[in-house]
Amino acid sequence: MKVLAIESSCDETSVAVLEDGREILSNIIATQIETHKKFGGVVPEVASRQHVEAINTVLKEALDTAGVRLDEIDIVSATKGPGLIGALLVGLSAGKTIAMAIDKPFVGVNHIVGHVCANYISFKDLEPPFVGLIISGGHTYLIEVKDYVDFTLHGRTQDDAVGEAFDKVARSLGLGYPGGPLIDKLAKKGKETIEFPRVMIKENNYDFSFSGLKTAVLNYLNSKKQKNEEIIVEDVCKSFQEAIVDVLLEKTFRLAEEKNLDKIVLCGGVSANSRIREAFLERAKIEDKKIYYPDIKLCTDNAAMIGSAAFYTYKSGKVEEENFANPNLGL
C-alpha cells in the first residue's frame, strides 16, 4: 500500500512516498532555515508563501524519486495540525485536491503522532506499547503509546517548548538560529557547572516548564554583564543543556516505571541532541530499558513520518471525515 504524504506545518515543505508505513520510497524536504535565520525565528507569513512556491516542485521530485505515478498511490495524507495555520493550509489543500483528483482516500494526520511514527521507519521491529517523549521547537509531550492509534497524554510543557527554550537561550548568547544544534556543539566544550534550576523536576506530575530555566539563564547573563565579568559561553551551554536533560530523564523514566514499560521512544527535532541521546542510553542501561530515536533526517519535520501515521490510521479504520487545519490540535 503506497501512501503519498505532505508535511507543511512550519518551515519545511516536504512530500514523501511510503510503502506499508515503514519503507521510504522518497522523502523530499525543502527547508526554509536560511530564509528565517535573519529574523532569528520562523515568520509565519513568510513560511506560508514559501510553501506555496515550493509545493509543486517538491511533489514532482518526490514522485519522480519514488518512481511512482499518482494513479499508483493508494492513500493521500497531509498534516492537519498543530502548526502555523497558513502553512498547514498549503499542505492540507494540496493533499485534499490530489486525493479528489485521483479518487483516493485522504487521511489528515496529527503532526505530533507523526513524530512518534518516525521511529517505525527507523526501527522495523518496533511495536507499541511504549513511552513516547516528543521534544521539538514547538512541542514537548510525554505520552503512553498503547497501540498505533491509541495514545494517552500524561504530560506537556506549561509554557515554552524545549526547542523554543534552546532557541531563545541561543539568541541571548548571540549564537544564531536554530539554537539547538549550536548549543549542543558548544556544550561539549564546557568545563565549569553553573547552577540552573531543574523546574518541576520534583512535582508529582509529568508536566514540564522551561520558561523559568530560560529566565534563570537570562538573569545570569545580565548579572555578568552588569558586573563586567566574563561570560564563558561553553559553560552556559553545558549547564543549561544539563538542566533540561535532568528534567526530561526524571519524568520520562518515572512514567516508564509507573506503567511497567521497558521501551522509551524519543522523537522530534530536539531528539537529535547528542547529549540527550547519550543521557537516555546511560540511564537505560541502569534501569534495563530500551531507547529508540529516529535517524537524524527523520527527527525534524518531514513527510515520511506523516505517511507512516496515515498508514496506521487508515488500517485502524479511524479515518475522520472532516479534516480542517487546526493550529492548536492536541492528542
Side-chain angles (χ1 to χ4, degrees):
M1 183 173 285
K2 293 183 176 62
V3 182
L4 176 70
I6 301 172
E7 155 61 22
S8 66
S9 64
C10 190
D11 61 339
E12 260 85 24
T13 311
S14 181
V15 180
V17 179
L18 259 73
E19 193 165 70
D20 294 336
R22 299 206 183 207
E23 293 292 337
I24 296 177
L25 302 183
S26 65
N27 186 29
I28 308 304
I29 304 171
T31 182
Q32 302 177 15
I33 286 179
E34 291 303 318
T35 298
H36 298 285
K37 263 185 179 179
K38 55 177 166 285
F39 304 111
V42 178
V43 180
E45 179 61 23
V46 174
S48 302
R49 290 179 181 179
Q50 292 212 345
H51 283 307
V52 172
E53 294 171 3
I55 188 67
N56 286 335
T57 302
V58 176
L59 171 63
K60 183 179 185 306
E61 186 177 348
L63 291 170
D64 289 346
T65 301
V68 173
R69 302 188 309 273
L70 272 179
D71 60 9
E72 295 177 301
I73 296 296
D74 300 294
I75 304 168
V76 181
S77 63
T79 304
K80 62 181 179 181
L84 305 174
I85 183 64
L88 288 168
L89 284 169
V90 176
L92 203 57
S93 299
K96 287 183 175 180
T97 302
I98 293 168
M100 185 178 295
I102 64 176
D103 194 24
K104 296 294 181 180
F106 177 81
V107 180
V109 171
N110 186 316
H111 180 82
I112 300 163
V113 175
H115 273 305
V116 175
C117 292
N119 278 281
Y120 298 140
I121 300 170
S122 294
F123 301 95
K124 310 303 183 191
D125 60 343
L126 175 63
E127 294 182 357
F130 52 77
V131 167
L133 177 65
I134 302 102
I135 42 177
S136 69
H139 313 292
T140 306
Y141 289 89
L142 187 56
I143 66 175
E144 180 184 359
V145 180
K146 299 178 180 179
D147 200 349
Y148 288 105
V149 292
D150 187 359
F151 306 86
T152 299
L153 175 64
H154 288 278
R156 62 181 299 174
T157 180
Q158 297 302 296
D159 39 61
D160 291 354
V162 62
E164 184 180 358
F166 269 103
D167 286 338
K168 288 179 177 178
V169 168
R171 189 182 306 137
S172 299
L173 290 168
L175 300 180
Y177 172 86
L182 299 170
I183 289 178
D184 187 16
K185 182 178 180 180
L186 288 171
K188 292 180 173 66
K189 302 176 182 178
K191 296 178 181 178
E192 299 297 324
T193 299
I194 304 161
E195 289 301 322
F196 291 134
R198 273 64 173 162
V199 183
M200 294 183 73
I201 194 169
K202 296 185 183 298
E203 296 290 327
N204 190 28
N205 59 45
Y206 293 109
D207 289 327
F208 302 93
S209 172
F210 299 107
S211 180
L213 170 60
K214 174 200 67 182
T215 301
V217 175
L218 298 184
N219 288 341
Y220 172 84
L221 296 176
N222 289 333
S223 175
K224 284 289 187 179
K225 290 175 183 176
Q226 288 172 0
K227 297 175 182 177
N228 200 28
E229 295 177 351
E230 182 184 9
I231 296 172
I232 309 299
V233 174
E234 292 82 358
D235 290 348
V236 175
C237 289
K238 174 191 172 184
S239 303
F240 164 72
Q241 185 167 269
E242 287 302 316
I244 284 180
V245 168
D246 286 350
V247 176
L248 294 178
L249 277 175
E250 174 61 28
K251 300 256 180 176
T252 305
F253 277 88
R254 192 197 309 165
L255 179 62
E257 190 66 26
E258 179 188 318
K259 298 300 177 181
N260 195 28
L261 294 170
D262 66 349
K263 291 181 287 190
I264 294 174
V265 166
L266 308 179
C267 51
V270 182
S271 69
N273 180 283
S274 64
R275 177 58 188 145
I276 290 175
R277 292 187 175 203
E278 177 186 57
F280 270 81
L281 289 171
E282 289 172 352
R283 181 77 170 263
K285 289 180 181 178
I286 298 171
E287 300 196 17
D288 196 25
K289 307 289 185 189
K290 298 176 183 175
I291 303 297
Y292 299 84
Y293 43 76
D295 296 339
I296 292 293
K297 63 183 179 181
L298 296 177
C299 288
T300 52
D301 295 349
N302 66 91
M305 69 184 196
I306 301 303
S308 180
F311 173 79
Y312 288 109
T313 300
Y314 184 78
K315 279 190 66 178
S316 73
K318 296 183 178 180
V319 178
E320 297 180 5
E321 290 296 323
E322 301 293 340
N323 284 289
F324 299 109
N326 183 351
N328 301 312
L329 183 65
L331 284 172

